Amino acid sequence: MRHLFPLAAILLATSAAAQNSAPQPVPFENRIPAARDVNFPGIMTLKVDATDVQQGIFRVSQTIPVTAPGAMVLLSPSWLPGVHAPAGQIEKLTGLKIRADGALVPWTRDTVDMWAFHINVPKGVRQLDIEFQFTSPTDTDQGRIVAAPNMLNLQWNHVSLYPAGFFTRRIPVQVTATYPEGWTAVAGLPAKKRGRDYVYETTDYETLIDSPAFAGRYYREWKLSDRVDLNVFADDPEELEAKPEQIDAHRRLVKQAVKLFGAQHYDRYEFLLAITDEMGGIGLEHHRSSENGVKPGYFSKWNDGPGSRNLLPHELTHSWNGKFRRGADAWTPDFRTPMRDSLLWVYEGQTQLWGYVLQARSGIVSKQDTLDMLASIAAGLDNRPARTWRPLIDTTNDPVIARRRPKGWVSWQRSEDYYNEGLLVWLEVDAVLRKQSGGRKSLDDFASAFFGMRDGDWGVLTYDFDQVVGTLNDIHPYDWAQLLKTRLEGLSERAPLAGLEANGYRLVYTDEPTAAFKSAQKSRSQADLSYSLGLVMGKAGSISAVTWDSPAFEAGLDVADTVVAVDGREYSDDRLIAAIKSAKDRRAPIRLLVKGGTRYRDVIINYHGGLRYPRLEKIGVEDGGLDQLLAPRP
């Protein structure tokens, strides 16, 4: 009888459910034509008025040829290379009107793909005339600000549409942009200046999207090589004052990159660098240019620390890794097809390593600062317990999962760890190459073999996991597939630090921060106590991060809290640091008064380990693999 009641309950529940309404799904019909590798019949024209920098409104006029009446789909770019996610700001496309021979053509947005517009082309029409506005962010809560009083960043994906059904490399387009009076504009795509207008070279739509422009009132250009220019825009002309030795370091950056990779995958390359606190920051790679945005002080505060000077070495490396060589599952024929990011540990991870290597080889950042920055990377990952449940390979999905939105528990959720943990994996590959080859081979050999072919080719050469492994085996035989799969797919308590140690350095902690650590804290307006209390403090006592399972975590703190007082006195970073020092020599806990929302509470942290800051400690006295890796090439 004990089994009868559960059975009766199941039957009763099933009977009740059978009486409820039970719909069937509506069939989904995809009416958007797939991209085909055929020529688009005609040349699109695009005119962008970028003169309204006060309101940040870009006004667009576009023509698209048509050859037949009937159904047609126009697309706004959604999946954007370098962003690794569907990030097209379709919500900011406004005022869309499509005309044929002067008459309005009704449009309907696709109910599944919000970046697609369905129209019906009337008979006898040979051209569509389109107008709309891109209403760019005017405040940071709307997105990245791209129009400021003295500069702007024009990204063509925001100010254009394209016809579905074609590979974007097969759609010709001719563009004219109008900038404010007296401004200079630069893009990877060549242009002729006619008054306020820049008439750009006719190109294909894929290349156009890969050729954004910076424009501004205050501008200066430096030649770095016969193919590479440094184009700097600033809010104020004083920020353009660079010392000769600073520019020489950038010239060495280009020289060292070419020595590393061998070939150059551009006809010309334009660094676009904005020094600004009015336009939003950016670091985005392109074949023949890169978009780089840093805070004021890039040149004027050069001696204060490395600051953001890792940005240009990283983005330049992408011309080889990410733009020319790209994971086969990440390349797409248009900007609608989803990208699959499984090889970002190569695309971004190895680029991350070469960015730090090249900053040291060129002298843009000193070797010691580079070592100290690597220590912070290693420590951050070694204190990230999420690796016990989430493998590194899964973080390659993070651009789509999280879209870089703020996270409450990064140490337990993980983030885009394929960047920095990818760096550590490739550093281990370098160490294994050196050991197995008796010091004859290193990751430099992989760089030249994998990226250094077809000089001047700025197309895309794809690869997969097996080709990465094959190239490594060509350099020196080893079970590379097993090593990489273990690092990518495995779970572990610790970060992969074997590459550091095999290359001559170990991660240690001391009670004094390195100069690079101090510089990073200052630039972020933070007090980073991650390796003691497990806290990162922001401005005015706000908590920016709490490490999972740390003393702060066990005390119940989170990023919604603000520390008001330390041991009965008003909060300051120095007072909290002093309390940590004092608690090391006494049994009394650290006492905090914490505000969460409208409520206050007392928090006790029983921590007596003192201050802990990461640094790398050299093993032995001879130059190790990391010393050799960071040394400039003759």
Side-chain angles (χ1 to χ4, degrees):
M1 291 297 294
R2 287 179 297 176
H3 300 287
L4 292 181
F5 176 75
L7 177 61
I10 292 171
L11 292 173
L12 181 62
T14 304
S15 175
Q19 299 175 27
N20 291 335
S21 301
Q24 294 296 312
V26 175
F28 168 64
E29 179 186 3
N30 181 12
R31 296 187 295 125
I32 303 175
R36 298 170 298 141
D37 195 7
V38 297
N39 289 332
F40 176 73
I43 300 175
M44 299 194 304
T45 67
L46 177 65
K47 295 183 178 181
V48 181
D49 183 342
T51 58
D52 187 358
V53 294
Q54 177 62 44
Q55 295 178 301
I57 300 172
F58 296 79
R59 292 172 170 83
V60 180
S61 300
Q62 184 174 1
T63 66
I64 299 180
V66 293
T67 58
M72 184 177 184
V73 179
L74 301 178
L75 301 173
S76 176
S78 168
W79 285 82
L80 303 175
V83 182
H84 316 308
Q89 298 180 48
I90 190 63
E91 77 282 3
K92 297 180 178 68
L93 189 158
T94 60
L96 177 61
K97 294 182 180 180
I98 304 172
R99 291 182 172 87
D101 292 337
L104 280 174
V105 176
W107 56 264
T108 303
R109 194 186 303 268
D110 193 87
T111 56
V112 174
D113 186 339
M114 298 297 117
W115 290 263
F117 300 92
H118 296 269
I119 64 171
N120 190 48
V121 178
K123 290 183 179 180
V125 170
R126 292 290 176 262
Q127 175 179 293
L128 298 175
D129 299 305
I130 302 168
E131 64 180 66
F132 63 90
Q133 304 85 41
F134 173 61
T135 50
S136 74
T138 54
D139 200 338
T140 54
D141 62 0
Q142 303 163 24
R144 174 177 169 258
I145 293 175
V146 297
N150 290 318
M151 67 174 65
L152 64 84
N153 179 193
L154 179 51
Q155 297 173 314
W156 307 108
N157 48 284
H158 295 317
V159 294
S160 61
L161 300 174
Y162 70 98
F166 301 88
F167 281 24
T168 51
R169 69 188 181 201
R170 305 294 290 272
I171 304 174
V173 59
Q174 197 285 311
V175 177
T176 300
T178 305
Y179 299 102
E181 186 70 41
W183 285 29
T184 301
V186 182
L189 186 65
K192 293 182 179 179
K193 190 175 186 299
R194 297 175 181 171
R196 294 189 302 163
D197 291 345
Y198 279 69
V199 180
Y200 291 90
E201 184 180 274
T202 299
T203 188
D204 61 87
Y205 191 68
E206 181 178 84
T207 299
L208 175 67
I209 300 305
D210 193 48
S211 306
F214 274 20
R217 187 185 314 278
Y218 305 118
Y219 163 76
R220 192 167 178 184
E221 176 190 21
W222 286 273
K223 296 289 183 183
L224 301 184
S225 76
D226 59 340
R227 296 198 209 179
V228 181
D229 297 333
L230 175 61
N231 303 276
V232 185
F233 299 83
D235 295 331
D236 301 297
E238 293 80 9
E239 290 291 337
L240 299 176
E241 296 301 321
K243 296 179 180 178
E245 57 267 28
Q246 294 170 340
I247 300 304
D248 285 343
H250 289 81
R251 292 191 175 107
R252 290 193 299 270
L253 168 62
V254 176
K255 183 178 180 179
Q256 289 293 322
V258 175
K259 285 179 177 291
L260 172 64
F261 297 114
Q264 297 178 73
H265 298 299
Y266 43 78
D267 51 356
R268 292 202 57 81
Y269 187 93
E270 306 289 350
F271 278 114
L272 307 178
L273 175 60
I275 304 175
T276 175
D277 55 12
E278 295 184 318
M279 193 169 79
I282 190 172
L284 189 57
E285 64 273 11
H286 305 284
H287 279 286
R288 300 189 291 172
S289 65
S290 57
E291 297 168 275
N292 307 275
V294 300
K295 292 294 184 182
Y298 184 84
F299 294 124
S300 61
K301 298 180 180 179
W302 186 278
N303 294 329
D304 289 359
S308 300
R309 296 203 298 277
N310 176 254
L311 181 58
L312 269 61
H314 180 98
E315 298 304 338
L316 177 62
T317 299
H318 270 316
S319 179
W320 290 269
N321 184 10
K323 299 308 294 184
F324 175 61
R325 297 306 308 265
R326 196 177 311 173
D329 59 357
W331 181 85
T332 57
D334 60 9
F335 302 116
R336 175 177 182 260
T337 305
M339 299 170 187
R340 289 156 291 172
D341 294 332
S342 69
L343 288 158
L344 284 180
W345 56 276
V346 182
Y347 182 128
E348 296 289 4
Q350 194 173 140
T351 294
Q352 192 78 335
L353 177 59
W354 289 129
Y356 283 97
V357 168
L358 289 172
Q359 74 176 28
R361 290 184 183 180
S362 65
I364 281 184
V365 177
S366 71
K367 177 187 175 182
Q368 187 57 55
D369 280 341
T370 300
L371 289 171
D372 294 342
M373 294 165 82
L374 292 175
S376 292
I377 288 172
L381 292 164
D382 203 34
N383 288 271
R384 188 161 285 189
R387 68 177 56 263
T388 62
W389 73 267
R390 188 180 182 192
L392 174 61
I393 192 65
D394 189 57
T395 71
T396 63
N397 298 307
D398 219 62
V400 180
I401 294 172
R403 310 282 180 90
R404 295 190 173 176
R405 291 185 292 262
K407 293 184 177 183
W409 303 102
V410 174
S411 61
W412 190 237
Q413 295 168 275
R414 296 199 106 176
S415 184
E416 296 177 15
D417 290 1
Y418 53 84
Y419 276 90
N420 282 335
E421 193 159 327
L423 176 156
L424 294 178
V425 170
W426 284 108
L427 187 58
E428 183 175 2
V429 170
D430 177 77
V432 173
L433 278 170
R434 292 176 190 275
K435 180 180 179 180
Q436 294 295 319
S437 68
R440 295 185 300 274
K441 299 293 182 180
S442 72
L443 199 62
D444 282 59
D445 295 283
F446 179 88
S448 60
F450 200 70
F451 303 110
M453 69 287 285
R454 304 185 186 181
D455 184 69
D457 180 354
W458 43 278
V460 178
L461 183 62
T462 61
Y463 62 87
D464 58 21
F465 179 86
D466 290 340
Q467 287 172 293
V468 174
V469 170
T471 302
L472 286 168
N473 275 316
D474 288 343
I475 296 167
H476 193 86
Y478 187 73
D479 194 351
W480 297 109
Q482 183 59 43
L483 173 64
L484 292 174
K485 286 181 179 180
T486 298
R487 297 293 176 261
L488 295 170
E489 300 171 6
L491 301 176
S492 64
E493 297 284 341
R494 301 289 305 278
L497 304 181
L500 277 173
E501 295 179 0
N503 271 334
Y505 286 86
R506 65 170 65 94
L507 176 65
V508 299
Y509 296 89
T510 66
D511 58 5
E512 284 293 330
T514 64
F517 196 96
K518 290 179 181 178
S519 175
Q521 288 189 115
K522 183 177 180 180
S523 66
R524 298 167 185 160
S525 299
Q526 293 178 340
D528 189 344
L529 304 169
S530 299
Y531 312 110
S532 51
L533 294 185
L535 276 177
V536 177
M537 301 301 300
K539 294 179 179 179
S542 63
I543 295 177
S544 298
V546 176
T547 302
W548 194 269
D549 285 340
S550 69
F553 177 86
E554 296 300 331
L557 295 173
D558 62 58
V559 295
D561 291 328
T562 298
V563 180
V564 177
V566 181
D567 290 338
R569 301 186 66 186
E570 183 180 17
Y571 176 82
S572 71
D573 292 344
D574 289 342
R575 192 157 284 145
L576 181 56
I577 289 170
I580 297 171
K581 290 180 179 179
S582 178
K584 183 179 181 180
D585 301 319
R586 58 186 174 90
R587 293 187 177 182
I590 299 169
R591 298 180 181 274
L592 306 177
L593 177 62
V594 175
K595 181 182 179 184
T598 60
R599 298 179 181 274
Y600 292 81
R601 69 186 190 276
D602 292 315
V603 172
I604 295 176
I605 303 181
N606 279 301
Y607 173 75
H608 305 281
L611 293 168
R612 299 176 78 244
Y613 297 103
R615 67 176 65 231
L616 294 183
E617 181 179 81
K618 190 171 177 60
I619 302 171
V621 296
E622 301 293 329
D623 279 354
L626 186 52
D627 297 308
Q628 296 168 27
L629 188 64
L630 299 181
R633 297 308 183 244

